Amino acid sequence: MNKAIFFIVTFFVTSAFADEVDNRKVLTLTAPQRHHVLTEMRDLLAGTQNILAALAKDDMAAVAEYSRALGFDMKHKAENPLHDVLPKEFMQLGMSMHKDFDLIAADAESLKDPKHTLQQMSATMGKCTACHASYQINTGNVEQATEARLDEVAQRGSHVMPFALEQTTHIFSKTDTGGVQQVIVKDKANSGQIKLIREHLSKISHEFMQGDFSNPAKIHGDTMPGLAELKKAKQRDIKIDYKELADGGQITYSTSQPTLIAAIHQWFDAQLSDHARHAMPGHAGHSQHKH
């Protein structure tokens, strides 16, 4: 085992099917959804390299640790928030692979046999290549903020939102009556960031109830889509509810007025675009983050 092997694995996982696009199924995702899927793929690749490095040193305890991090409980795997978006077959491949890493971890601890682990890794990597051979990602006509815009919004946001964007994720789920806005930590043990999220969301939810949307305007600008309609709405027109989550907090917006429902959806889309590095769309009935 040496650096050449690492290079070969990296090259084939990321490049083997780069040109074979004619027969692959196109997954049309929004820019935030694409970012989420590709981030998971990069994390899987980095984790695989860590496993191989540990195998090169016969460090089976490290093999187990790195493998378990890629298992069924992998943080923010795409199968969680995007299960209503991704094809069933894509989901099955992904979940099967995560289960494989859990088994690799268990066997590394019990058998302590590097050769056996390499055989398991080979089978698991076959699922990765099958996925790359079957699917390609396309963002279609979905608008995406420029890198300069993303930098600008992140800079403005740091003066309004007390929590760290790199340590948290925004999730915007549209519903038939409005939407649900969640902010959650990437590491559930990060109690400091959870506290900051809850304080901020509680504060702005009260401001929104009073028709005060000045904080979003400070980050995204006064011409932010949907914002003018939300500012003009009367208190009785939109119900705004805040609650704590185990890993953050959420605000639920609900209304019976079609124009305001559309405004909330436009407002969510604008935030998804501007926070593309740190946000993702959810879905109605989003339930993996409970209070």
Side-chain angles (χ1 to χ4, degrees), residues 2-267:
N2 53 45
K3 291 183 180 179
I5 294 179
F6 298 159
F7 174 80
I8 291 169
V9 171
T10 301
F11 177 81
F12 277 105
V13 171
T14 58
S15 305
F17 298 97
D19 296 324
E20 300 295 327
V21 298
D22 290 346
N23 297 319
R24 292 189 296 169
K25 182 176 182 180
V26 176
L27 303 182
T28 301
L29 305 178
T30 65
Q33 289 170 341
R34 177 181 181 275
H35 174 76
H36 189 76
V37 171
L38 294 183
T39 296
E40 180 190 0
M41 290 181 178
R42 286 190 290 269
D43 289 345
L44 285 165
L45 181 59
T48 298
Q49 184 170 1
N50 287 336
I51 293 169
L52 292 174
L55 281 171
K57 299 175 183 177
D58 289 331
D59 187 349
M60 300 308 289
V63 168
E65 178 184 353
Y66 290 130
S67 299
R68 189 164 287 112
L70 305 181
F72 201 74
D73 292 328
M74 182 180 180
K75 296 176 183 176
H76 301 286
K77 58 182 183 288
E79 293 84 1
N80 284 345
L82 301 182
H83 62 74
D84 286 346
V85 176
L86 298 171
K88 179 181 178 181
E89 295 78 9
F90 185 100
M91 290 279 295
Q92 289 174 337
L93 272 173
M95 298 308 289
S96 175
M97 181 186 60
H98 290 300
K99 291 179 181 178
D100 284 353
F101 278 113
D102 280 331
L103 180 59
I104 290 170
D107 285 356
E109 289 177 331
S110 62
L111 302 178
K112 297 180 174 59
D113 182 351
K115 185 176 180 180
H116 176 72
T117 299
L118 282 171
Q119 292 172 339
Q120 291 176 304
M121 288 290 293
S122 176
T124 300
M125 296 308 292
K127 295 176 182 178
C128 291
T129 55
C131 181
H132 283 272
S134 301
Y135 300 98
Q136 60 173 310
I137 296 176
N138 187 352
T139 54
N141 295 321
V142 178
E143 293 186 6
Q144 183 176 9
T146 64
E147 291 298 316
R149 172 67 177 177
L150 295 178
D151 290 339
E152 178 186 352
V153 169
Q155 178 63 28
R156 291 179 182 176
S158 66
H159 297 294
V160 176
M161 297 177 289
F163 50 84
L165 288 175
E166 297 297 336
Q167 299 177 41
T168 57
T169 302
H170 287 70
I171 302 175
F172 296 93
S173 306
K174 297 177 184 177
T175 67
D176 292 337
T177 57
V180 180
Q181 173 185 3
Q182 299 177 324
V183 182
I184 60 172
V185 291
K186 295 180 179 178
D187 180 358
K188 292 185 178 182
N190 196 338
S191 58
Q193 290 296 313
I194 292 175
K195 181 175 182 292
L196 293 174
I197 289 170
R198 291 172 176 172
E199 289 175 351
H200 178 68
L201 292 188
S202 177
K203 175 179 178 291
I204 63 171
S205 66
H206 288 294
E207 293 174 351
F208 294 165
M209 290 176 196
Q210 305 302 317
D212 179 2
F213 288 83
S214 58
N215 274 322
K218 291 176 184 176
I219 300 173
H220 305 277
D222 291 324
T223 60
M224 183 182 190
L227 194 58
E229 291 80 0
L230 295 176
K231 286 181 176 180
K232 291 186 293 185
K234 295 181 174 60
Q235 289 186 28
R236 66 176 180 271
D237 292 338
I238 305 177
K239 183 179 180 182
I240 299 174
D241 292 312
Y242 163 76
K243 76 173 183 179
E244 294 184 355
L245 302 175
D247 49 0
Q250 77 174 29
I251 302 174
T252 301
Y253 307 85
S254 56
T255 177
S256 60
Q257 298 187 22
T259 55
L260 290 178
I261 294 172
I264 292 169
H265 291 179
Q266 291 170 354
W267 189 49

